């Protein structure tokens, strides 16, 4: 495996059989098998990301955070599926892959969240299926799916913590500073 000195540029898949690393030999991001260190896939991502954020639970997708955007890549095809711009009113680029491997949520520059349906058969694609405004006035700091993917936690810059319940399609504010 290549030597990586920045832990933000390394991410293990959930089965702990592969690792995504900055690939200095080819540029971009390499997906390496942990059993023998061989490169399995290569993603040509252009400029180097600030962080290799996470694999999807099934290892098919990889989220990367750049200074000005969040990107979701399909590992096997090497294709960028979604790019979310950061910006005024949003905060840093944010996005998260749902545990069902079929949904990706991202913050948009208009102060909204967007939910995408992911598909890999017959073609890798992402379709916007829902949008809703952020439940607070400030910038989004981070977001995360629950383990079952039935809820999404949102944290605002003033310390707001809100949870969006997918089954009831409403947002509850849990804490406010």
């Amino acid at each position: 495996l290549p030597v990586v000195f920045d832990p933000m540029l390394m991410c293990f898949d959930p089965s702990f059989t592969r690792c995504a690393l900055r690939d200095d030999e080819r540029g971009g991001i390499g997906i390496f098998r942990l059993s023998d260190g061989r490169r399995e896939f290569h993603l040509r991502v252009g400029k180097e990301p600030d962080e290799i954020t996470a694999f999807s639970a099934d290892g098919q997708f990889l989220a990367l955070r750049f200074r000005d955007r969040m990107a979701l890549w399909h590992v096997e095809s090497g294709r960028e599926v979604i790019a979310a711009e950061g910006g005024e009113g949003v905060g840093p680029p944010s996005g998260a892959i749902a545990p069902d491997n079929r949904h990706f949520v991202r913050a948009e520059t208009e102060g909204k969240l967007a939910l995408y349906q992911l598909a890999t058969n017959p073609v890798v694609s992402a379709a916007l299926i829902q949008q809703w405004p952020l439940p607070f006035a400030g910038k989004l700091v981070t977001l995360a799916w629950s383990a079952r993917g039935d809820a999404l936690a949102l944290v605002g810059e003033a310390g707001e913590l809100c949870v969006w319940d997918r089954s009831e399609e409403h947002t509850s504010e849990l804490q406010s500073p």
Side-chain angles (χ1 to χ4, degrees):
L1 292 174
V3 176
V4 175
F5 295 103
D6 185 349
M8 300 301 280
L9 294 175
M10 178 173 68
C11 179
F12 295 96
D13 76 344
S15 65
F16 207 71
T17 58
R18 299 184 300 176
C19 184
L21 302 168
R22 180 181 66 213
D23 191 347
D24 290 332
E25 183 179 316
R26 291 190 181 180
I29 303 298
I31 312 297
F32 297 88
R33 291 191 306 237
L34 292 176
S35 61
D36 59 11
R38 297 185 105 164
R39 181 183 296 103
E40 192 173 43
F41 299 104
H42 181 257
L43 305 178
R44 296 184 192 284
V45 298
K47 67 180 183 176
E48 182 177 298
D50 294 319
E51 179 182 359
I52 301 173
T53 308
F55 275 97
S56 59
D58 64 1
Q60 288 191 62
F61 294 95
L62 182 66
L64 306 173
R65 187 182 59 77
F66 297 84
R67 178 178 312 276
D68 59 349
R69 69 189 179 100
M70 182 83 185
L72 185 68
W73 290 75
H74 183 252
V75 172
E76 193 171 326
S77 69
R79 184 170 163 240
E80 185 175 12
V81 181
I82 298 174
E85 301 295 326
E88 193 62 36
V90 177
S94 298
I97 307 164
D100 66 6
N101 303 309
R102 295 186 326 233
H103 296 92
F104 180 77
V105 67
R106 69 176 182 143
E108 296 191 327
T109 55
E110 302 85 31
K112 296 179 182 176
L113 292 172
L115 181 65
Y116 289 84
Q117 175 105 28
L118 304 174
T120 55
N121 191 10
V123 177
V124 176
S125 64
L128 178 65
I129 57 173
Q130 186 174 0
Q131 282 185 310
W132 65 99
L134 287 173
F136 39 78
K139 294 180 181 178
L140 177 69
V141 175
T142 192
L143 51 85
W145 288 99
S146 65
R148 290 190 314 243
D150 56 352
L152 181 69
L154 310 166
V155 179
E157 68 181 337
E160 305 96 329
L161 174 59
C162 300
V163 174
W164 176 63
D165 184 333
R166 284 181 68 183
S167 63
E168 298 178 22
E169 295 201 12
H170 77 278
T171 305
S172 301
E173 188 169 330
L174 298 180
Q175 175 184 353
S176 184

